[in-house]
Amino acid sequence: MADLPESTVLASDYFDSYSVVGLLALIGVLFVAVAFGAGRLLRPVVPTPEKLLTYECGVDPVGEGWAHTKVRYYVYAFLYVIFAVDSIFLFPWATVFAAPGYGATTLVEMFIFLGFLAVGLLYAWKKGVLEWT
């Protein structure tokens, strides 16, 4: 590689790392395809009327298939996801905050981030979304 320019060598190293990622993705896709193929070949296929019924936790289905679900459950799940993501951002922030030279900047950034979350939580509270009734 002594006769190649330095930019060609750097590009080669750069694409070598992508080839590893591509190979890993290909292995993952092949693994899933082989698993599904083996399952399709090995499972018994004996369709009966009982097997074709909708299964609802061991209870025979009664009535229509359409059921109303309260949106409040989804709101609580969404709020959980928001605060789970918040905690995911807080852990790396704590490690960077301890590094020299990053103290004031990261502190201000995190208070801005937490401020946005607090405003969103306050809005949800004022709208009555957090009341379980």
Side-chain angles (χ1 to χ4, degrees):
M1 285 212 195
D3 57 346
L4 293 175
E6 184 179 341
S7 62
T8 305
V9 173
L10 289 175
S12 174
D13 290 342
Y14 179 76
F15 288 117
D16 283 344
S17 61
Y18 276 112
S19 65
V20 171
V21 172
L23 182 65
L24 208 61
L26 181 67
I27 289 172
V29 168
L30 285 175
F31 181 76
V32 171
V34 167
F36 275 113
R40 188 175 191 91
L41 290 174
L42 296 175
R43 72 174 180 228
V45 180
V46 184
T48 62
E50 289 84 20
K51 287 184 179 179
L52 297 176
L53 282 177
T54 304
Y55 182 74
E56 294 182 4
C57 300
V59 179
D60 289 333
V62 178
E64 296 180 20
W66 181 260
H68 293 283
T69 305
K70 292 189 179 222
V71 75
R72 189 162 312 277
Y73 300 123
Y74 296 108
V75 170
Y76 277 101
F78 185 65
L79 287 172
Y80 169 77
V81 168
I82 288 173
F83 287 104
V85 169
D86 177 34
S87 66
I88 289 171
F89 282 124
L90 283 174
F91 288 117
W93 170 78
T95 60
V96 170
F97 185 68
Y102 289 103
T105 305
T106 55
L107 186 64
V108 169
E109 289 173 352
M110 188 49 65
F111 275 121
I112 291 171
F113 178 68
L114 291 174
F116 280 123
L117 288 175
V119 167
L121 184 62
L122 183 65
Y123 176 76
W125 179 58
K126 288 288 187 184
K127 285 291 196 176
V129 170
L130 301 177
E131 294 175 8
W132 189 272
T133 56

